[in-house]
Amino acid sequence: MARRRVCKHRYMTPQLSAVALEAWNILEQHLGTWSFCVRMESELSGLDEREEPSEPSEASTRRSSAPRVITVPLLFRRLLDRSTGYTNDSLVSHLVESGAIAQSHIEAAFRAVDRGKFLPNLEEGTSEVYDDAPVRFGHFHMSQPSLYAEAVANLDLSPGLSFLNVGSGTGYLSSIVSEITGPALHHGVDLYSDLLDHAQDMLRVQNKEYIQFFEVNAHDLDLVMCPRYDRMYLGACAGGQSKRLLALLQVGGVAVGPFETSSGQYIRRVLRTSETTFDVKNLKQVSFGRLLPSEEPLRRPSFVLPSPPWTPSTHAAHSKGFRNAVREVLLSTTRANSPAHIVPRDIFVKHVFGFMHPRWFSSATEDPFRERLDGADEQPMDDEGTYDEDSARLQVLRTLAMFARQQRDLEAQESDDAMRNRIQSLFRMLNPNLGHMAHTAPDSDEDTEEPPERNPNPNAEGESSGGYPTAG
């Protein structure tokens, strides 16, 4: 078994975690890879080490002959240390122990879906995929498992609820959600065909073909003709007009995802209370990429996600307009003055209503959306204030620079103190009475007391010459 080193988990506040993640994103974008090389023995003193292999390989023998270093972003490794183990069960156990998962049905869903299988071409023995951290291979990306766990908990899932995953990615989150909702209406949209093909392959392995993924930009969805969903997750940040995607949410439905606000990005829980109003709760501050705009922004969105056919058992799940239309048709079969009274009712129920589009009798409201944040007064949902992302990123960089300067000054002070102590010890070795001379150099520009003048008579007994002892 290869040698492994597992970092002991150190808990952080969500605010500090968000700042560190944001800072790391900035450094990756603007400064390239920032690595600190340190000796393994000195920097891993707080790590839990597993057993050495009984017969080390030739490669490990070669490595042991050279000084061992870690070329990782050490500062952020310490801030965001989320190593949890090397299996999906160890990851889920960590999420339970840390409090990220507090409900048994959510724990069962996470244990049933192996995170490591959702990244293609993963090397055998790779453990990073089971860390409580985001992973990315090209555009194959999965967010932090604890964030998914919090999202699933706030979605308040139950069997039979419909679900839309905007930015469905590898299908990992959709697979977890389906463990709770079961074979209900379940759609996902994403931009990359190879990513969607991989996700569909993962669904086939799990026998979950009822989940459907579509290659389409979310801004190209027809908000009038697409079905409405009980639950919705956004895998990228929605700001401005992107928030109109909440029109796909049923009244009484819940959406969770990153949203732009006047103070930055937040994971939000959004409850639709009416056609135009939403109750909003900020869960945690994050840093996500934004939803990409449509490549044809001037063209009317025309992509329609499939709606389930009408049946008597699904009647309550359809829109109010559709239900009213079905009711009027059925009532007309009982009226003698209606042409429909000669048609048996079963004809409509079995052969007509199922071919009617559920959104034919509905329309998307053009009124602006409004939100109530934590019970406060309503305000326009599109109003994001004066938040400037570039200024926020610059502020984070300035904060990091301040921390770096403070650390440098501290290390320099410690180095000066150590050198001063060594000089003092040296003088004491030469003459115990002269240890104070190590501190005679002034530490500031203030005036200091002049040293005593030299004795003009070097032979006078008991006197010193030039401040130094005379030879015996």
Side-chain angles (χ1 to χ4, degrees):
M1 176 178 171
R3 184 177 185 177
R4 302 284 192 183
R5 292 183 179 269
V6 185
C7 296
K8 295 179 179 178
H9 185 81
R10 288 181 280 275
Y11 300 97
M12 301 178 58
T13 64
Q15 293 79 7
L16 181 57
S17 179
V19 169
L21 282 172
E22 173 71 5
W24 177 241
N25 290 336
I26 296 171
L27 292 171
E28 279 192 324
Q29 292 181 11
H30 301 288
L31 304 180
T33 302
W34 183 20
S35 296
F36 297 85
C37 298
V38 296
R39 292 186 180 276
M40 182 81 78
E41 288 74 15
S42 62
E43 291 297 331
L44 293 183
S45 58
L47 303 187
D48 182 17
E49 181 177 331
R50 296 192 176 184
E51 294 182 357
E52 291 279 359
S54 57
E55 296 181 4
S57 63
E58 179 181 356
S60 62
T61 303
R62 288 198 304 269
R63 287 196 301 268
S64 63
S65 61
R68 281 144 101 193
V69 299
I70 312 171
T71 58
V72 297
L74 185 60
L75 171 62
F76 293 96
R77 182 61 176 268
R78 285 178 170 177
L79 286 175
L80 304 175
D81 188 2
R82 301 189 183 96
S83 299
T84 61
Y86 309 102
T87 66
N88 190 69
D89 281 340
S90 64
L91 167 61
V92 179
S93 296
H94 162 76
L95 296 177
V96 173
E97 293 170 1
S98 65
I101 294 178
Q103 297 172 284
S104 59
H105 68 288
I106 297 179
E107 177 184 353
F110 272 80
R111 290 195 186 278
V113 181
D114 191 330
R115 190 182 193 225
K117 295 181 179 179
F118 283 80
L119 287 176
N121 304 321
L122 193 66
E123 295 183 4
E124 186 70 23
T126 301
S127 64
E128 286 79 4
V129 71
Y130 295 117
D131 289 347
D132 185 19
V135 291
R136 181 186 295 276
F137 294 88
H139 51 256
F140 286 77
H141 174 260
M142 288 190 292
S143 294
Q144 185 178 341
S146 57
L147 188 148
Y148 281 148
E150 186 174 4
V152 171
N154 280 279
L155 283 170
D156 193 18
L157 299 171
S158 60
L161 293 179
S162 56
F163 179 71
L164 174 63
N165 191 351
V166 178
S168 53
T170 64
Y172 173 64
L173 178 62
S174 288
S175 297
I176 292 174
V177 169
S178 66
E179 290 291 324
I180 302 174
T181 61
L185 177 66
H186 192 138
H187 292 157
V189 297
D190 212 299
L191 296 174
Y192 303 103
S193 57
D194 56 341
L195 189 58
L196 292 168
D197 291 341
H198 170 72
Q200 292 286 6
D201 291 341
M202 297 307 302
L203 296 181
R204 280 191 288 270
V205 171
Q206 302 174 77
N207 296 318
K208 295 180 179 178
E209 287 85 354
Y210 57 87
I211 302 178
Q212 295 177 285
F213 293 142
F214 301 91
E215 183 180 355
V216 60
N217 189 306
H219 296 100
D220 293 332
L221 295 176
D222 189 329
L223 301 182
V224 176
M225 299 303 293
C226 283
R228 289 187 176 182
Y229 300 86
D230 299 310
R231 299 293 184 264
M232 195 165 131
Y233 177 79
L234 281 71
C237 184
Q241 288 303 308
S242 296
K243 297 179 181 179
R244 297 298 299 182
L245 290 172
L246 292 174
L248 297 174
L249 199 61
Q250 293 270 25
V251 174
V254 176
V256 174
F259 289 84
E260 204 77 72
T261 73
S262 59
S263 57
Q265 293 184 14
Y266 283 86
I267 294 290
R268 283 183 155 187
R269 184 183 191 271
V270 181
L271 170 65
R272 189 171 193 176
T273 55
S274 72
E275 288 293 322
T276 59
T277 59
F278 300 82
D279 285 345
V280 176
K281 180 180 180 181
N282 288 341
L283 301 179
K284 67 191 311 181
Q285 193 164 16
V286 292
S287 177
F288 273 69
R290 286 190 173 94
L291 287 170
L292 295 179
S294 172
E295 295 181 355
E296 298 179 338
L298 300 180
R299 194 181 75 174
R300 182 182 181 278
S302 58
F303 193 95
V304 179
L305 296 172
S307 297
W310 179 91
T311 64
S313 61
T314 63
H315 177 74
H318 285 68
S319 67
K320 182 178 180 180
F322 190 92
R323 297 197 305 270
N324 288 339
V326 169
R327 178 176 178 272
E328 287 299 321
V329 171
L330 293 178
L331 286 176
S332 68
T333 62
T334 64
R335 299 172 184 148
N337 61 346
S338 171
H341 82 282
I342 63 174
V343 181
R345 180 177 297 188
D346 287 348
I347 297 296
F348 290 103
V349 173
K350 296 180 179 179
H351 304 288
V352 176
F353 295 151
F355 291 93
M356 294 164 52
H357 196 283
R359 302 294 296 172
W360 278 354
F361 309 100
S362 304
S363 60
T365 179
E366 297 297 331
D367 296 333
F369 288 164
R370 301 184 66 80
E371 66 180 29
R372 286 190 296 266
L373 177 60
D374 293 330
D377 295 336
E378 288 187 4
Q379 62 180 3
M381 181 171 282
D382 295 338
D383 183 10
E384 291 162 5
T386 58
Y387 174 71
D388 186 342
E389 184 177 7
D390 291 336
S391 297
R393 288 176 176 269
L394 181 60
Q395 181 62 36
V396 172
L397 281 177
R398 287 173 175 169
T399 302
L400 287 175
M402 179 187 69
F403 288 155
R405 286 194 296 270
Q406 291 176 348
Q407 182 66 22
R408 180 197 61 193
D409 295 343
L410 179 62
E411 293 176 352
Q413 180 66 32
E414 292 176 349
S415 177
D416 292 343
D417 291 344
M419 181 60 69
R420 187 177 294 112
N421 291 335
R422 292 179 63 184
I423 294 175
Q424 183 178 5
S425 298
L426 179 61
F427 274 103
R428 284 174 175 169
M429 290 174 61
L430 295 174
N431 191 325
N433 298 324
L434 296 177
H436 69 279
M437 295 185 62
H439 297 283
T440 56
D443 292 333
S444 65
D445 295 331
E446 299 178 359
D447 295 336
T448 58
E449 184 180 354
E450 295 292 335
E453 295 183 359
R454 296 184 179 183
N455 188 349
N457 184 6
N459 296 322
E461 183 179 358
E463 298 293 338
S464 60
S465 176
Y468 295 89
T470 58

